[in-house]
Amino acid sequence: MTTPTTRRSLREAAPSPAVRPGTGSTPVRARLRPGRILGDILLWLAAIAGAVCILLVVLAFTAQVTLIMFRTGSMAPTIPAGAVAVVQRVPASEIEVGDVVTVDRDGELPVTHRVTTIAPGAAADERIITMRGDANAADDPFPYPVTSVRTVLFAVPGIALIVAGMGNPVVLGSLTVAATTLVVWAFWPRRSGRSGVDVDGNGP
């Protein structure tokens, strides 16, 4: 008498996808190759960098937080040349002596120094401040009338060239191509040539 074929019997008779045919019960394990590990690390770094960029854009619009680069060493050793500082725009009424602030100047580059004195201005929201770089022996030649300034929250030394390079169209294009290639490579389906099993251990 022939035993009827059922779905259960077919499932029991089918070889497990986790068992290599012809080798007993040895499970098939996906081997992590160095290239795969490196790709995962680079993918995570790219994701973190992208998240940081998105965060900076959001902060720039919502909290007026931006970045400035230091080309000179007038604030050394507190903030050396080549550093990048995170700054936030605040009303002049919130300035205190000892703060490191950035003052925007018409037709000139902004100046970032430490506040040494504060005096009332012509309007209620205006202040007249004098400043001095930590590496300088005297105050700046002229006081600054301001209604708002950008106060330095913190600075990271030695990354000004990297940040400046990010604005280069060639660099941006290269990074875009590299990131696209990395994402495609990381998510491209891979199969083991010997067992026909996906790298993540799932069957085809």
Side-chain angles (χ1 to χ4, degrees), residues 20-36:
R20 192 189 307 274
T23 57
S25 60
T26 303
V28 176
R29 296 178 180 177
R31 296 181 180 179
L32 294 178
R33 299 179 180 179
R36 180 71 175 182

Side-chain angles (χ1 to χ4, degrees), residues 5-44:
T5 302
T6 63
R7 292 184 179 180
R8 181 176 179 180
S9 62
L10 289 175
R11 286 198 302 268
E12 292 176 350
S16 173
V19 177
R20 192 189 307 274
T23 57
S25 60
T26 303
V28 176
R29 296 178 180 177
R31 296 181 180 179
L32 294 178
R33 299 179 180 179
R36 180 71 175 182
I37 296 175
L38 178 61
D40 289 343
I41 293 174
L42 292 176
L43 193 62
W44 273 106

Side-chain angles (χ1 to χ4, degrees), residues 32-104:
L32 294 178
R33 299 179 180 179
R36 180 71 175 182
I37 296 175
L38 178 61
D40 289 343
I41 293 174
L42 292 176
L43 193 62
W44 273 106
L45 291 177
I48 293 172
V52 170
C53 291
I54 294 173
L55 177 62
L56 289 176
V57 171
V58 172
L59 289 176
F61 282 99
T62 60
Q64 298 191 46
V65 173
T66 53
L67 303 178
I68 59 170
M69 294 181 291
F70 286 78
R71 298 181 179 180
T72 68
S74 63
M75 278 301 297
T78 307
I79 306 177
V84 171
V86 177
V87 298
Q88 182 178 25
R89 186 169 294 280
V90 298
S93 59
E94 297 183 9
I95 304 172
E96 296 181 358
V97 172
D99 289 346
V100 179
V101 302
T102 298
V103 173
D104 297 310

